[in-house]
Amino acid sequence: MAVYLLTTAAVLAAAFALRRLQPVQQHSAEYPYRETRAGAMTKILTAAIFVCLVIPEALRINVGNDYAKYVEFMHLIRSNAYVPTEIGFNFLVKVIYALCGTENYLLVFALFAAMTAALFLAAIRQQADDFAFSFFLFMMLGYYFQTYNTVRYYFALAIAVWSVKFLLRREYVPFVLSILLAATFHKSVLVVLVLYPLALIPWKKWQLACIAALLSTFLLFPAGWMQLIVALYPSYRDTDYLAGGSVSRINILRCAAVIILALLCAQPAEKGTFRRISGLSALCAGDRRLRFYFNCSLGALACYVFCSFIPFVSRIAYYLSFTQIFLIPALLSAMPGGTEREKKRRKILTGLTVAAAVLYFAAFLFKMSDENVRILPYQTFLFHDMPKTISEVTN
């Protein structure tokens, strides 16, 4: 755990150091593209964050609940045997193994670590109102450490989050192409082609009521919906993924807390609940980006509440809930701070948010050794060997 705590401390220190820098360009006839010292430090700190994120993940061996399974998949891919993974992943593994002349799965994991970290950092730099705050939430909510598992999925998630900038700018062709590329690594990402555009719509109350009525059928007729889902994703049929779902109380609580925070941030502050809802609706209606992030959180909450019987619902909900790292700082920064009372209120809500995030991270630390996470104990190929895979045992 010391490796993870040191990594977290190092990257957060660099992220908050970035907050104090204002990179600007100095232009003159003699040095038309000379950067200021702050600009250079910004690049150095960003690179340091990237390196600190990638190194422990690239050096790991047999860390993650599906690490050995991926090693087996890569062996089968090289042998041209059937694997349930997508064409993009299969092609990348074949290229790397061909270039290395051996089954260099360590390089594959390192490459995915680097690509995923780079995309997440780029997305946060481009979309966050406050890079340090959003990056703090990225670490505290466990998104970085989850990338030690299911590397295909989190790479696809990183592409999806990075591509949101195209959707918000109404550049639909690059958005669709990015998602199609991500789908060659994990096909679950295709759901954002529907969910993300839906999150941009300024829904009316009667429309939300109709959606709630539709979602209630998931609770009333789970078997029918499961048959439809298996028909859409036949590769999940007769697999461990359909072993059974469960209610994710911690994720429901987190999404509900974000919705409550949005209501608390809505103005006017001194009015009642219904006025807050109206204020939040007005705020989201006037800000396309904020509306998208809020609707994504609302959609994630709906997934966890109404679709808990679907074993892999968290994979769908993560595409929606990840945007909370952008929504929360945006909500807090949108609060007025003209009077002392308003400033105090903002500080209190910010402090409570930070405290809740730290508690969430502490709870996640205690789950790191669980069978469905298994990123503890940390092991590196510098000092440990990879246990034999199924193919090696049977041969």
Side-chain angles (χ1 to χ4, degrees):
M1 187 177 291
V3 173
Y4 299 144
L5 292 177
L6 287 173
T7 299
T8 302
V11 295
L12 289 182
F16 281 95
L18 275 172
R19 174 186 268 181
R20 297 191 294 270
L21 297 174
Q22 295 295 328
V24 295
Q25 301 288 335
Q26 286 185 348
H27 301 285
S28 65
E30 185 177 1
Y31 302 106
Y33 302 108
R34 185 176 61 185
E35 288 188 318
T36 64
R37 180 180 178 183
M41 284 301 300
T42 296
K43 291 182 179 180
I44 292 173
L45 288 172
T46 303
I49 292 173
F50 172 77
V51 170
C52 288
L53 292 177
V54 172
I55 286 180
E57 192 167 356
L59 293 180
R60 80 190 194 280
I61 190 169
N62 200 29
V63 175
N65 61 6
D66 54 3
Y67 191 100
K69 184 182 293 185
Y70 267 105
V71 173
E72 176 70 9
F73 282 165
M74 290 182 233
H75 170 74
L76 295 175
I77 289 169
R78 193 190 188 203
S79 304
N80 293 316
Y82 169 78
V83 288
T85 49
E86 288 78 3
I87 187 173
F89 177 79
N90 299 348
F91 176 76
L92 186 60
V93 169
K94 284 188 175 183
V95 169
I96 293 176
Y97 277 19
L99 292 175
C100 295
T102 184
E103 296 190 5
N104 194 343
Y105 54 84
L106 294 172
L107 182 57
V108 176
F109 282 114
L111 182 60
F112 270 95
M115 294 190 300
T116 304
L119 285 167
F120 276 138
L121 278 178
I124 296 172
R125 290 284 293 176
Q126 293 162 0
Q127 299 181 46
D129 287 0
D130 183 337
F131 173 82
F133 199 172
S134 289
F135 186 77
F136 167 78
L137 294 173
F138 171 72
M139 296 299 296
M140 292 297 101
L141 298 181
Y143 288 116
Y144 163 68
F145 294 106
Q146 292 282 18
T147 63
Y148 285 58
N149 291 310
T150 324
V151 294
R152 293 164 33 247
Y153 170 78
Y154 280 95
F155 180 57
L157 174 63
I159 295 177
V161 175
W162 173 80
S163 70
V164 165
K165 64 180 182 180
F166 297 124
L167 187 63
L168 295 176
R169 296 198 302 242
R170 295 182 171 87
E171 298 174 2
Y172 301 117
V173 173
F175 168 71
V176 172
L177 291 177
S178 298
I179 299 305
L180 292 178
L181 172 63
T184 65
F185 290 89
H186 206 282
K187 61 186 175 185
S188 67
V189 75
L190 291 173
V191 299
V192 307
L193 291 176
V194 176
L195 296 180
Y196 281 1
L198 288 177
L200 285 171
I201 298 175
W203 297 99
K204 300 183 184 300
K205 294 182 178 63
W206 69 268
Q207 293 172 324
L208 291 175
C210 291
I211 293 173
L214 174 63
L215 289 172
S216 66
T217 64
F218 282 79
L219 297 177
L220 296 173
F221 312 106
W225 280 108
M226 182 60 77
Q227 289 181 0
L228 176 60
I229 291 168
V230 172
L232 293 174
Y233 292 92
S235 61
Y236 286 154
R237 191 185 301 274
D238 301 324
T239 65
D240 294 339
Y241 293 115
L242 301 180
S246 61
V247 177
S248 179
R249 294 180 178 83
I250 185 67
N251 284 313
I252 291 175
L253 181 62
R254 193 184 92 192
C255 291
V258 171
I259 302 301
I260 293 172
L261 176 65
L263 290 172
L264 292 174
C265 291
Q267 295 303 308
E270 68 278 2
K271 302 295 183 179
T273 302
F274 290 105
R275 292 293 183 89
R276 289 186 187 280
I277 294 174
S278 299
L280 179 61
S281 299
L283 183 64
C284 290
D287 190 327
R288 175 181 171 88
R289 185 174 59 101
L290 195 61
R291 178 172 68 243
F292 173 78
Y293 295 146
F294 177 78
N295 285 344
C296 280
S297 285
L298 201 59
L301 179 61
C303 285
Y304 287 123
V305 172
F306 293 98
C307 306
S308 59
F309 66 92
I310 302 175
F312 44 86
V313 69
S314 61
R315 293 187 176 183
I316 307 302
Y318 261 40
Y319 289 117
L320 299 170
S321 64
F322 189 94
T323 59
Q324 291 171 357
I325 72 171
F326 306 125
L327 174 64
I328 293 172
L331 288 170
L332 293 170
S333 64
M335 294 179 65
T339 66
E340 288 299 321
R341 181 184 177 185
E342 290 171 337
K343 291 179 181 178
K344 181 178 179 181
R345 187 164 171 272
R346 179 192 285 178
K347 287 182 180 178
I348 290 174
L349 287 177
T350 302
L352 289 174
T353 300
V354 170
V358 172
L359 287 175
Y360 189 97
F361 181 64
F364 179 76
L365 290 176
F366 283 102
K367 293 177 60 178
M368 283 184 170
S369 58
D370 288 0
E371 188 63 28
N372 62 337
V373 181
R374 216 180 67 77
I375 57 177
L376 277 179
Y378 179 80
Q379 297 181 120
T380 170
F381 65 80
L382 299 175
F383 306 110
H384 301 87
D385 295 322
M386 180 68 194
K388 290 185 177 181
T389 62
I390 295 175
S391 296
E392 291 173 325
V393 171
T394 56
N395 289 338

